[in-house]
């Protein structure tokens, strides 16, 4: 029997429901239970794929090609369980499906309403494909009181009545602010948030209270009394230095014990948290440090690079070093070589991440040139790999106007362009330049064949890999021979040999570009091999500078 845990939030957004959900999933998993985590987003977009990084942050991509909320990245990193398309739903997708069914006449002329049609669709999504798990954790995006979230709250209220007794638990994440001028912790925001939740028919079983300071016992008693929960069900969630401390902290506060108690589960095995103790120990006692310069175009909004940040820290865990990130806006380099040198000269590694559009591209190319010529470890991801190939075509092949058809259509040497056909397994995939933005993407897991004896083959310890993609444009393989003659090796190709997946420069301390997004598959307990190797090279570089 699958049990359901619903995580809601109140008072303000950005309290960390995603981390809380992921950490609880990790704790239940550490006790031997099988878990699945899902995110229900109330916004009207079909998915976050076409949303601005400034608006939404990172788009997380699953193996089956879904563009999802970044919280699914937290779920994967804490539990190691790969997310699927069916683990993220939005109001837009719900309404799109219902309207399509109505147009086909599948509702037999009935009036379509939020209750029951929308709420039934949400409930069906929550309960689908859960036969193989013990716990399904569902996080509801936004905060209680948001008008767009009402159908989701109504759906989980209904589910609480429809499921068997002791089959559903409601956890409400709220804020306990400390007012410095008064010297007091205030419980009123939490009380009002719970009151709002109860007004729509949901009585929370557990309150997870975000706070800067420990909650005094008298405040816990007050919250329990006014919010109609047991005192043991008021769990403090203190601010922590590292997100990977959260499972340990929540266990010490008794969150997992309280969840099991509400489900009337007795005699559960104790959690094996050794791996989390090791991760935290490595984070807090590094043997040294490295500085990685990320040359990007969304650097003012760090959530746009959430998985990338975490993957770099995972690489640090593998090498037992602290990774400091120097954020560099790529536009400052455009037309200014001295600015590039000044910004990157103290970096132990340079990373150029993914992105879309022309803005900042010339600055990224200049950063690639700096890393290549100064023999600084370089990692180009997706758009970053494309910029590395364009830089090589300009400097090594002498094609001064080499560029990408994404933003320089007049170029006589379009090194990067929109491929219209390739094979995937036994099928042929096609795309059109005038299709919907999401429809022109190469999304999800694709295989690549690695060249024998290459650096990346040694890093992976394999000759065939599968990685997740999210991009429209590809490096033109017709330039392969000319570039390889000048020292750039195309060491990873799609199985049909049409699509370049990885490039490297053998005569360089560490210079790798990949068309995919390896950061999406990195875990703190299983750092991605490319990030582990890159940080290892940066560690060597730190001793040379």
């Amino acid at each position: 029997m699958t049990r359901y845990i619903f995580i809601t939030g109140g008072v303000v957004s950005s309290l960390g429901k995603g981390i809380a959900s992921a950490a609880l999933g990790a704790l239940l998993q550490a006790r031997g239970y099988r878990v699945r985590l899902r995110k229900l987003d109330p916004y009207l977009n079909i998915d976050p794929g076409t949303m601005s990084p400034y608006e939404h942050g990172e788009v997380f991509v699953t193996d089956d090609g879904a563009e999802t909320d970044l919280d699914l990245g937290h779920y994967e990193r804490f539990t190691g369980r790969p997310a699927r398309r069916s683990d993220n739903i939005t109001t837009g997708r719900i309404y799109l499906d219902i309207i399509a069914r109505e147009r086909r006449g599948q509702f037999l002329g009935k009036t379509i309403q939020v209750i029951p049609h929308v709420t039934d669709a949400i409930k069906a999504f929550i309960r689908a494909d859960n036969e193989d798990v013990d716990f399904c954790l569902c996080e509801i995006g936004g905060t209680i009181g948001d008008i767009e979230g009402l159908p989701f709250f109504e759906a989980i209220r209904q589910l609480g009545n429809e499921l068997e007794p002791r089959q559903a638990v409601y956890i409400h994440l709220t804020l306990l602010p400390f007012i410095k001028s008064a010297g007091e912790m205030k419980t009123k925001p939490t009380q009002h948030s719970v009151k709002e939740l109860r007004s729509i028919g949901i009585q929370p079983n557990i309150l997870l209270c975000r706070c800067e300071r420990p909650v005094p016992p008298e405040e816990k008693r007050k919250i329990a009394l006014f919010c109609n929960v047991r005192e043991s069900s008021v769990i403090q969630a203190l601010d922590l230095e590292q997100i990977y401390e959260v499972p340990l902290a929540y266990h010490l506060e008794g969150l997992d014990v309280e969840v099991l108690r509400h489900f009337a589960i007795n005699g559960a095995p104790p959690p094996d948290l050794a791996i989390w103790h090791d991760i935290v120990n490595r984070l807090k006692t590094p043997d040294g440090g490295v500085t990685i310069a990320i040359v990007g175009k969304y650097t003012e909004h760090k959530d746009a690079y959430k998985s990338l940040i975490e993957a770099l820290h995972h690489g640090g865990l593998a090498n037992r070093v602290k990774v400091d990130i120097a954020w560099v806006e790529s536009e400052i380099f455009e037309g200014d070589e001295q600015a590039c040198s000044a910004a990157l000269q103290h970096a132990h590694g340079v990373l150029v991440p993914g992105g879309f559009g022309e803005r900042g591209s010339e600055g990224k190319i200049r950063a690639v040139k700096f890393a290549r010529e100064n023999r600084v470890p370089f990692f180009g991801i997706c758009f970053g790999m494309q910029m590395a190939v364009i830089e090589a075509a300009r400097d090594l092949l002498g094609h001064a106007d080499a560029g990408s058809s994404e933003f320089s259509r007049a170029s006589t040497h379009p090194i990067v362009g929109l491929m219209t056909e390739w094979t995937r397994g036994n099928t042929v995939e096609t795309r059109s330049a005038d299709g919907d933005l999401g429809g022109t993407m190469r999304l999800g897991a694709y295989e690549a064949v690695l060249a024998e004896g290459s650096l990346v083959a040694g890093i992976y310890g394999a000759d065939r890999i599968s990685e997740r993609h999210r991009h429209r444009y590809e490096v033109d393989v017709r330039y392969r021979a000319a570039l390889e003659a000048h020292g750039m090796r195309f060491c990873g190709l799609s199985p049909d040999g049409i699509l370049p997946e990885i490039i490297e420069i053998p005569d360089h301390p560490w210079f790798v570009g990949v068309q995919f997004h390896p950061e999406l598959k990195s875990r703190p307990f299983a750092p991605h091999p490319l990030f582990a190797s890159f940080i290892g090279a940066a560690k060597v570089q730190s001793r040379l500078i």
Side-chain angles (χ1 to χ4, degrees):
M1 180 182 68
T2 302
R3 297 172 174 85
Y4 293 86
I5 301 172
F6 300 107
I7 299 98
T8 59
V11 185
V12 294
S13 59
S14 301
L15 286 180
K17 293 193 305 296
I19 296 291
S21 304
L24 177 57
L27 286 175
L28 293 170
Q29 199 175 58
R31 289 179 177 271
Y33 294 110
R34 299 164 300 170
V35 301
R36 187 170 190 182
L37 292 98
R38 285 179 159 157
K39 178 72 183 289
L40 288 69
D41 279 309
Y43 51 73
L44 285 171
N45 303 69
I46 303 302
D47 58 44
T50 55
M51 294 171 72
S52 166
Y54 295 107
E55 185 87 12
H56 185 268
E58 172 190 76
V59 174
F60 190 80
V61 179
T62 59
D63 280 333
D64 57 3
E67 294 177 288
T68 71
D69 185 81
L70 62 81
D71 279 328
L72 272 72
H74 294 312
Y75 304 163
E76 284 203 13
R77 285 188 287 274
F78 276 77
T79 68
R81 181 185 173 106
R84 293 182 284 184
R85 183 181 298 275
S86 56
D87 289 330
N88 188 203
I89 196 74
T90 68
T91 298
R93 271 181 58 196
I94 293 286
Y95 275 84
L96 184 69
D97 178 64
I98 290 174
I99 291 169
R101 291 166 59 199
E102 187 273 335
R103 292 291 82 189
R104 292 193 296 267
Q106 292 181 357
F107 290 105
L108 303 178
K110 290 184 178 179
T111 301
I112 309 304
Q113 297 176 291
V114 173
I115 301 174
H117 301 100
V118 174
T119 52
D120 281 353
I122 294 170
K123 288 186 292 184
F125 165 77
I126 292 172
R127 301 188 71 170
D129 302 324
N130 286 327
E131 297 80 10
D132 63 336
V133 298
D134 300 305
F135 292 96
C136 179
L137 289 77
C138 295
E139 175 194 349
I140 315 299
T143 59
I144 186 66
D146 295 343
I147 190 169
E148 61 265 29
L150 289 176
F152 291 92
F153 292 115
E154 172 62 19
I156 65 173
R157 182 199 68 79
Q158 293 176 16
L159 260 182
N161 290 329
E162 296 170 10
L163 293 168
E164 296 296 323
R166 302 283 189 172
Q167 200 179 349
V169 161
Y170 299 93
I171 298 177
H172 192 51
L173 182 64
T174 186
L175 177 68
L176 286 181
F178 183 84
I179 309 301
K180 291 182 181 179
S181 60
E184 294 179 344
M185 181 174 284
K186 295 297 183 181
T187 65
K188 194 61 70 176
T190 292
Q191 293 179 46
H192 280 293
S193 183
V194 172
K195 182 180 178 181
E196 182 77 20
L197 192 62
R198 293 174 68 187
S199 72
I200 59 176
I202 298 174
Q203 167 62 52
N205 303 107
I206 297 170
L207 296 180
L208 194 55
C209 302
R210 283 297 306 272
C211 49
E212 297 177 357
R213 306 186 182 197
V215 182
E218 61 272 17
E219 300 299 338
K220 275 193 175 186
R221 285 192 291 271
K222 183 178 180 180
I223 293 168
L225 179 63
F226 281 90
C227 297
N228 195 33
V229 298
R230 288 165 54 105
E231 191 174 332
S232 63
S233 294
V234 180
I235 308 293
Q236 69 175 8
L238 283 164
D239 294 347
L240 299 167
E241 291 182 17
Q242 305 285 348
I243 61 171
Y244 300 120
E245 295 181 75
V246 175
L248 299 177
Y250 282 4
H251 175 65
L252 286 175
E253 294 297 329
L255 176 60
D256 51 330
V257 173
E258 199 65 16
V259 167
L260 295 175
R261 189 189 68 78
H262 277 285
F263 281 122
I265 297 175
N266 300 311
D272 181 2
L273 300 174
I275 192 170
W276 294 105
H277 283 291
D278 180 58
I279 289 168
V280 172
N281 179 56
R282 286 173 175 268
L283 285 169
K284 293 191 170 183
T285 58
D287 293 336
V290 298
T291 298
I292 303 299
I294 295 182
V295 183
K297 57 194 295 184
Y298 314 119
T299 56
E300 293 179 1
H301 192 55
K302 307 300 187 293
D303 272 356
Y305 301 111
K306 191 60 184 173
S307 291
L308 184 64
I309 295 168
E310 295 308 315
L312 286 169
H313 291 309
H314 301 164
L317 287 170
N319 291 277
R320 208 166 191 125
V321 295
K322 182 178 184 294
V323 177
D324 292 314
I325 297 175
W327 295 96
V328 183
E329 175 58 52
S330 58
E331 283 184 288
I332 68 171
F333 295 166
E334 300 196 351
D336 191 345
E337 189 169 348
Q338 290 185 339
C340 181
S341 297
L344 302 181
Q345 63 180 331
H346 299 299
H348 305 128
V350 174
L351 190 150
V352 176
F356 295 91
E358 183 176 9
R359 183 178 67 83
S361 60
E362 291 299 322
K364 291 187 176 186
I365 291 171
R366 194 174 291 278
V368 174
K369 181 180 177 67
F370 173 89
R372 182 177 61 81
E373 292 184 341
N374 290 277
R375 301 181 63 78
V376 176
F378 170 81
F379 197 179
I381 295 176
C382 195
F383 191 77
M385 167 182 156
Q386 295 172 7
M387 296 303 99
V389 178
I390 290 173
E391 190 278 328
R394 289 180 181 180
D395 200 66
L396 302 180
L397 300 186
H399 300 324
D401 70 336
S404 169
S405 61
E406 181 178 2
F407 47 76
S408 55
R409 300 184 186 280
S411 171
T412 57
H413 295 286
I415 305 297
V416 178
L418 186 70
M419 296 292 292
T420 58
E421 183 176 300
W422 64 90
T423 60
R424 185 182 196 182
N426 296 320
T427 62
V428 176
E429 294 192 355
T430 61
R431 58 182 164 188
S432 170
D434 57 1
D436 290 341
L437 288 180
T440 59
M441 289 273 199
R442 186 150 69 102
L443 285 167
Y446 284 80
E447 288 191 333
V449 178
L450 307 185
E452 185 179 354
S454 63
L455 172 66
V456 291
I459 291 172
Y460 276 100
D463 57 9
R464 199 178 186 100
I465 60 170
S466 175
E467 293 282 5
R468 299 177 190 176
H469 294 64
R470 183 179 182 255
H471 58 96
R472 296 187 183 92
Y473 294 84
E474 312 278 354
V475 172
D476 193 332
V477 75
R478 290 177 296 180
Y479 288 89
R480 175 186 178 184
L483 286 165
E484 288 195 331
H486 285 79
M488 176 173 280
R489 186 177 189 184
F490 283 57
C491 53
L493 295 169
S494 58
D496 60 6
I498 293 175
L499 305 176
E501 293 279 15
I502 310 175
I503 57 95
E504 67 183 38
I505 296 180
D507 185 24
H508 190 282
W510 205 97
F511 192 105
V512 174
V514 298
Q515 186 58 75
F516 45 83
H517 289 271
E519 69 272 19
L520 300 178
K521 295 178 72 171
S522 188
R523 313 283 180 259
F525 40 79
H528 192 284
L530 286 175
F531 281 92
S533 181
F534 175 56
I535 297 302
K539 185 177 180 181
V540 173
Q541 182 73 9
S542 70
R543 295 167 182 164
L544 299 176
I545 294 180

